[in-house]
Amino acid sequence: MTDDELLAELTRVAAAADPPPEFVVASARHALSTRGLDDRLAALLADSALDADVQVVRGDDQLRLLSFAHADTTIDLQIQRTADGLAVRGLVTGAAGEVVVDASDGPHAAPLDEAGWFTVADLPGGPLRVRLPGRPAGGISTGWIAP
């Protein structure tokens, strides 16, 4: 019996006698699903909260402007604090379909109009991110944004 055959036999016996708990298998699958995550993350190009050269119109401190890019797709966001929480308005170029804004209360889907605009209102005041689920395979996502 070769070393490889012995190892295969020991693996089979161990799996039959004491299989891993299902939560371990599920956790391993989730961990492996994050492979290539950086390949789908859009790069931050500009952020009005960080860039002293970017001035928001009328000095509105309740408004934040961000720009992201990934390959031939750009995502420009306007995040505004409202009495009801947050509102996100955005322009997506290089993609069609829908956008998903992930917030602390779950995902909020919105269609992209023919020009690439979308709006999602009444979001809670916590962190959020914007995803384009169908573009490319696995989608494109901004990083998490703390408004």
Side-chain angles (χ1 to χ4, degrees), residues 40 70-73 92-96 98 131-141:
R40 299 186 309 257
H70 182 279
D72 62 344
T73 303
V92 176
T93 58
E98 77 171 5
R131 290 185 291 122
L132 302 171
R135 172 94 191 172
I140 296 172
S141 175

Side-chain angles (χ1 to χ4, degrees), residues 9-147:
E9 181 64 16
L10 290 173
T11 300
R12 186 191 64 73
V13 170
D18 187 19
E22 185 54 38
F23 80 91
V24 171
V25 174
S27 295
R29 284 194 180 109
H30 288 296
L32 288 174
S33 73
T34 62
R35 290 180 307 180
L37 185 61
D38 288 340
D39 296 338
R40 299 186 309 257
L41 191 61
L44 177 65
L45 301 178
D47 183 347
S48 64
L50 303 175
D51 192 349
D53 295 334
V54 176
Q55 293 186 1
V56 177
V57 178
R58 296 182 190 90
D60 189 351
D61 62 351
Q62 301 299 309
L63 188 65
R64 185 171 177 190
L65 306 175
L66 300 109
S67 292
F68 297 88
H70 182 279
D72 62 344
T73 303
T74 61
I75 305 169
D76 294 312
L77 301 176
Q78 173 183 311
I79 302 173
Q80 185 166 19
R81 292 194 181 280
T82 66
D84 299 323
L86 296 173
V88 177
R89 179 163 164 79
L91 174 63
V92 176
T93 58
E98 77 171 5
V99 65
V100 177
V101 178
D102 291 321
S104 61
D105 64 343
H108 301 262
L112 292 172
D113 70 14
E114 48 287 336
W117 289 99
F118 71 92
T119 302
V120 178
D122 301 326
L123 295 167
L128 58 91
R129 71 174 175 180
V130 176
R131 290 185 291 122
L132 302 171
R135 172 94 191 172
I140 296 172
S141 175
T142 67
W144 285 93
I145 304 161

